[in-house]
């Protein structure tokens, strides 16, 4: 159950386009107020529309990400940017080049390092050295992961190597229609790393995520659903969803518990 003592924000929009536009607005506002912001972006299908909106805004000159820094959220261990299944390559070619983030301002996860533990610690230092993440946009995995913080991840976890669940590997395989192998291991920013971001957006669309979103927001926070830890960020967290993803939330039940809902279709709503 969503409790009144948790002061994170929930914004429900009519459809995925409106939700994506709201997420793009958060990025635009962040970059306008802090042109050299440090950002983390998700990969996957959820953010595609948001990236298209940002690319259109960049092409029109409405936003300028040329001074922004991007830290990759996750990547498969041993995979280079030349590999077809590289998440970094997907992000760089499919997104960052289009929205105007410079290649030399992209921090890639050190997944080919000889000493992965030391390299992951250096990645953490690089994030901290720049003053931390200004904004992390995240998607919600079907198993509740954020980045590749799989079930079992603690709220204090840092950038590290993690074994992927069969569910996540099969989800990832779908992105390439099964044509490329998905490694067993990934490196991911930790939940603790993400919780230190000045602003966090969890973007969730579609009915397929409705039950996991309900568990994320209404069950007690636990490592079983790593995304639930994000609630610890309080007002620094904004959960942006469409009505389909929100359909199992108690706030959608007029007889259910009351919780303020901000945003959504351009008006404030409360249930
Ligand atoms: P999806 O993935 O956007 O493709 O559903 C989300 C995630 O696993 O973070």
């Amino acid at each position: 159950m969503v409790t009144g003592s948790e002061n994170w924000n929930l914004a429900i929009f009519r459809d995925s386009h409106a939700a994506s536009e709201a997420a793009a607005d958060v990025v635009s506002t962040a970059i306008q107020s802090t042109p050299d912001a440090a950002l983390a972006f998700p990969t996957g299908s959820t953010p595609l529309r948001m990236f298209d909106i940002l690319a259109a805004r960049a092409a029109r000159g409405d936003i300028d990400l040329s001074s922004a820094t991007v830290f990759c959220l996750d990547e498969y261990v041993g995979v280079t940017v030349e590999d077809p299944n590289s998440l970094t390559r997907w992000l760089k070619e499919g997104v960052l080049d289009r929205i105007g983030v410079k290649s030399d301002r992209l921090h890639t996860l050190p997944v080919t390092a000889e000493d992965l533990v030391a390299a992951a610690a250096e990645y953490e230092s690089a994030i901290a050295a720049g003053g931390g993440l200004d904004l992390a946009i995240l998607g919600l995995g079907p198993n509740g992961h954020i980045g590749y913080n799989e079930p079992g991840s603690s709220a204090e976890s840092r950038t590290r190597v993690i074994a992927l669940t069969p569910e996540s590997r099969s989800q990832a395989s779908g992105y390439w229609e099964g044509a490329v192998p998905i490694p067993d291991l990934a490196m991911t920013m930790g939940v603790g790393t993400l919780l230190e971001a000045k602003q966090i957006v969890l973007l969730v669309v579609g009915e397929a995520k409705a039950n996991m979103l309900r568990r994320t927001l209404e069950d007690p926070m636990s490592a079983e659903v790593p995304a639930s830890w994000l609630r610890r960020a309080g007002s620094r967290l904004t959960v942006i969803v469409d009505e389909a993803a929100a359909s199992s939330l108690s706030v959608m039940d007029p007889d259910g518990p009351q919780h303020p809902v901000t945003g959504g279709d351009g008006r404030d709503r409360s249930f």
Side-chain angles (χ1 to χ4, degrees):
M1 209 172 82
V2 175
T3 68
S5 62
E6 292 187 19
N7 61 342
W8 41 269
N9 308 291
L10 174 64
I12 302 174
F13 293 85
R14 189 174 307 286
D15 55 30
S16 64
H17 187 81
S20 303
E21 204 154 73
D25 286 349
V26 175
V27 177
S28 299
T29 303
I31 213 68
Q32 276 152 3
S33 69
T34 311
D36 62 348
L39 310 168
F41 286 126
T43 52
S45 51
T46 304
L48 292 177
R49 209 183 280 260
M50 175 192 76
F51 289 137
D52 285 345
I53 294 166
L54 288 172
R57 289 180 187 178
R60 284 199 304 267
D62 295 344
I63 52 170
D64 176 6
L65 282 109
S66 61
S67 302
T69 297
V70 171
F71 285 88
C72 288
L73 186 57
D74 48 17
E75 180 58 287
Y76 304 112
V77 168
V79 163
T80 69
V81 283
E82 283 78 38
D83 289 336
N85 53 2
S86 165
L87 295 174
T88 307
R89 173 180 164 150
W90 184 94
L91 190 67
K92 191 188 165 319
E93 292 179 0
V95 179
L96 303 183
D97 291 350
R98 292 170 59 218
I99 66 175
V101 172
K102 297 209 167 113
S103 297
D104 60 0
R105 290 185 180 271
L106 172 65
H107 290 257
T108 60
L109 283 152
V111 290
T112 56
E114 209 161 290
D115 184 343
L116 290 166
V117 173
E122 277 167 29
Y123 195 75
E124 283 279 329
S125 303
I127 295 172
L133 294 173
D134 291 288
L135 172 63
I137 308 272
L138 303 169
L140 175 65
N143 63 355
H145 69 214
I146 41 168
Y148 265 138
N149 290 283
E150 296 280 51
S153 297
S154 79
E156 292 76 29
S157 54
R158 312 304 305 195
T159 301
R160 69 202 185 288
V161 170
I162 190 160
L164 296 176
T165 61
E167 192 178 7
S168 289
R169 292 185 69 232
S170 132
Q171 174 202 10
S173 174
Y175 296 143
W176 287 276
E177 293 166 347
V180 292
I182 301 301
D184 296 329
L185 300 175
M187 187 179 282
T188 182
M189 270 191 214
V191 178
T193 321
L194 293 166
L195 276 174
E196 286 171 3
K198 295 184 185 76
Q199 201 180 359
I200 303 170
V201 168
L202 181 65
L203 175 63
V204 189
V205 298
E207 201 177 348
K209 298 278 176 70
N211 187 47
M212 188 46 75
L213 183 68
R214 184 193 58 71
R215 292 181 63 194
T216 298
L217 300 182
E218 300 190 1
D219 282 357
M221 294 177 227
S222 88
E224 217 177 296
V225 179
S228 67
W229 296 129
L230 294 178
R231 285 149 56 195
R232 285 197 179 176
S235 61
R236 289 180 293 117
L237 170 66
T238 301
V239 184
I240 296 178
V241 302
D242 65 359
E243 286 186 358
S247 57
S248 295
L249 297 180
S250 57
V251 290
M252 296 300 272
D253 175 1
D255 301 322
Q258 304 287 297
H259 184 74
V261 177
T262 57
D265 305 326
R267 62 180 192 270
D268 288 350
R269 298 195 295 184
S270 58
F271 290 77

